[in-house]
Amino acid sequence: MIKPAFPSNENQRLKSLEDLDIFKSIPEESYDNITRLASFICETPIALISLVNSNEQWFKSKVGVDFTGGERELSFCGHAILEPENIMEVQDTTKDLRFIDNPFTHEDGHGIKFYAGVPLRNEKGVALGTLCVLDRKAHKLTNDQLYALKALGKQVESLFELRRKNIQLERATKNLNETNSVLREFASNVSHDLKMPLANMILTSDFLKIKYKDLMDEEGLERLNYLKQSGLKLSDYISGLLEHYSSSNSSIPTYEEFFLNDILEDIIDLLQIAEDCEISIPDHNLKIYANEVVIGQIFMNLINNSLKYNNQEKIIISIDCVENEEFFTFSVKDNGIGIPPDKLPFIFDLFAIVGDKDRKGKTGHGIGLSTVKKLVTGIGGEVHVDSEVGVGTQFTFTSKKANLLD
């Protein structure tokens, strides 16, 4: 008997098998169907999907045997994986030096006299095991049977690849959930931290107005009133964000009836639009039934984006909304610097930065538009961008009507 050698890529092979997380896994019908077909087509009483690790082979699926594996040094499959691109057929094991005195060859009248195994490779061509058929008498596969065995082996490899991708997806989903949880906690903490300074600002404006009203002219008092109102509006938005994040794990979104132009006017007041900016809102004050906090936050980010990334003497921003039976479709169009074509596919990725500095010479942090994408997705909508460098940008997003989300 000749013990199977170790492949030159043994370390890589074992790492690939470990990453697949399939060794000693529970039985699966999709694999069992393949071994049954292999046994039937090749007219052999035994068919196995065998995986080979550092010191043993284990059967992911089996037909015709009761045991689940054995020592690698006694395995036929340990030899088969040495040539990953070729099927190994041993028509009579009693005449092959590798197996002539193997215990499995002479097992009390039940010894294995025939073996044919096709190596099962991963996406990099590394052999992890075999799909094999065995018989207790000498045997020879026809060309059609050899072809069918190879084809069935490809099906097992497809199952391996699907399993690998599912594992990657599960890991990515877990990482994404953990990241979102950290970001949600961060946003919540920041919002809480802002509440107290805002409260102090509101109270201080009242204090100054009462204590020094006789020393201030009309313009000064108006500015104090504006300071207080801005603080109150910002406080309302922060409260809304806190409510949004605290209920983000709930399956019941918060919907309310509101008028679009009302929240747009509040946002424009809050952003302190300068005289060199012209913002047009819809002529018709459309009644919306949706998540007001989310819609407001999306518009806040998009309008602020249009204000920052604009180098024109006069900033022009146009806001519009249309509705159909399923969606509200909102748009924010500006005459800003535009987005380079090579940046458009990644503009909604977290921490993606266009590269141009804003109107005040500052570089963005790449969070705002990724937040927009997350918020739009959360209300059952989609967001798109059309842009031309030096001409302007239009963001369009949809919100699925509330009655269609029930």
Side-chain angles (χ1 to χ4, degrees):
M1 185 188 83
I2 300 175
K3 295 180 181 180
F6 290 99
S8 59
N9 63 350
E10 178 68 1
N11 289 335
Q12 180 187 7
R13 198 188 68 80
L14 293 176
K15 179 64 168 57
S16 298
L17 186 60
E18 180 183 357
D19 290 342
L20 194 59
D21 193 26
I22 195 173
F23 210 81
K24 303 294 179 71
S25 59
I26 63 174
E28 297 177 62
E29 185 178 5
S30 53
Y31 292 96
D32 293 340
N33 289 337
I34 293 175
T35 50
R36 283 194 289 267
L37 274 174
S39 174
F40 175 77
I41 293 172
C42 295
E43 301 178 285
T44 60
I46 303 171
L48 309 168
I49 293 175
S50 175
L51 299 169
V52 182
N53 75 359
S54 58
N55 53 27
E56 66 177 311
Q57 68 170 344
W58 174 77
F59 306 145
K60 172 62 179 174
S61 178
K62 55 190 175 65
V63 170
V65 297
D66 295 328
F67 55 97
T68 58
E71 298 177 50
R72 176 174 178 172
E73 64 180 21
L74 299 178
S75 70
F76 295 3
C77 298
H79 291 277
I81 63 173
L82 297 177
E83 296 185 31
E85 297 181 357
N86 300 317
I87 189 169
M88 186 180 89
E89 182 180 22
V90 182
Q91 297 175 7
D92 188 345
T93 59
T94 63
K95 298 178 181 179
D96 191 301
L97 291 177
R98 292 171 294 180
F99 312 113
I100 193 168
D101 55 355
N102 187 304
F104 288 109
T105 302
H106 302 284
E107 185 183 318
D108 297 332
H110 297 285
I112 302 300
K113 300 299 189 293
F114 169 80
Y115 173 90
V118 56
L120 301 173
R121 300 180 294 171
N122 67 4
E123 75 285 357
K124 296 180 180 179
V126 177
L128 307 180
T130 69
L131 169 64
C132 56
V133 291
L134 305 92
D135 204 340
R136 294 186 175 87
K137 63 179 185 294
H139 194 89
K140 180 181 180 180
L141 298 181
T142 66
N143 289 335
D144 287 342
Q145 288 173 329
L146 287 169
Y147 178 84
L149 188 61
K150 291 178 182 179
L152 291 173
K154 291 294 183 185
Q155 293 302 309
V156 178
E157 290 175 350
S158 296
L159 292 175
F160 284 175
E161 178 65 7
L162 179 61
R163 182 184 182 91
R164 184 183 70 85
K165 289 182 176 179
N166 283 339
I167 290 173
Q168 288 181 335
L169 181 60
E170 288 174 0
R171 289 173 180 169
T173 301
K174 180 180 178 182
N175 291 336
L176 180 61
N177 288 337
E178 290 175 351
T179 300
N180 286 339
S181 177
V182 170
L183 288 175
R184 188 180 299 114
E185 183 177 356
F186 171 77
S188 179
N189 289 338
V190 169
S191 298
H192 276 296
D193 291 343
L194 286 174
K195 293 285 283 185
M196 185 56 69
L198 277 173
N200 289 336
M201 183 177 75
I202 294 167
L203 291 173
T204 300
S205 64
D206 281 338
F207 172 79
L208 291 173
K209 184 177 179 180
I210 294 172
K211 187 172 181 64
Y212 300 105
K213 65 178 180 178
D214 295 333
L215 300 177
M216 289 186 180
D217 58 15
E218 185 176 344
E219 182 181 357
L221 293 174
E222 286 180 357
R223 289 186 179 276
L224 279 179
N225 285 332
Y226 185 80
L227 179 65
K228 178 179 179 179
Q229 291 305 315
S230 295
L232 289 171
K233 288 178 181 178
L234 186 55
S235 180
D236 287 341
Y237 272 102
I238 291 173
S239 297
L241 282 174
L242 285 172
E243 180 181 351
H244 169 68
Y245 283 115
S246 65
S247 63
S248 59
N249 292 325
S250 173
S251 59
I252 305 176
T254 302
Y255 296 106
E256 51 272 321
E257 185 178 274
F258 62 94
F259 287 94
L260 176 62
N261 288 4
D262 292 352
I263 67 167
L264 291 176
E265 290 170 355
D266 285 344
I267 291 171
I268 292 170
D269 287 343
L270 185 61
L271 291 175
Q272 301 183 36
I273 306 301
E275 292 182 359
D276 59 355
C277 177
E278 176 184 312
I279 298 183
S280 61
I281 62 178
D283 294 331
H284 176 59
N285 195 3
L286 191 65
K287 183 186 290 185
I288 308 288
Y289 188 70
N291 191 315
E292 182 178 4
V293 171
V294 174
I295 297 294
Q297 184 63 24
I298 294 169
F299 272 116
M300 173 77 81
N301 285 353
L302 292 180
I303 296 172
N304 193 47
N305 208 63
S306 293
L307 292 171
K308 289 199 304 181
Y309 297 100
N310 197 307
N311 56 6
Q312 302 295 325
E313 288 187 11
K314 188 174 186 64
I315 299 173
I316 299 176
I317 301 173
S318 300
I319 302 171
D320 198 9
C321 177
V322 295
E323 65 173 319
N324 58 28
E325 293 181 355
E326 296 184 37
F327 292 94
F328 293 106
T329 300
F330 307 94
S331 64
V332 178
K333 183 179 181 180
D334 63 53
N335 64 336
I337 60 178
I339 303 168
D342 61 323
K343 301 289 186 180
L344 286 174
F346 316 105
I347 197 66
F348 295 109
D349 292 350
L350 186 62
F351 305 126
I353 300 174
V354 173
D356 294 286
K357 293 184 177 180
D358 65 20
R359 197 173 181 85
K360 296 181 180 179
K362 297 180 179 180
T363 301
H365 45 56
I367 296 178
L369 290 179
S370 66
T371 300
V372 167
K373 177 69 176 290
K374 177 178 178 292
L375 292 171
V376 171
T377 302
I379 56 176
E382 296 180 350
V383 60
H384 304 282
V385 58
D386 295 296
S387 187
E388 184 176 348
V389 174
V391 176
T393 300
Q394 176 170 314
F395 287 96
T396 303
F397 70 95
T398 60
S399 173
K400 202 163 189 178
K401 289 191 171 179
N403 61 326
L404 296 174
L405 289 170
D406 295 337

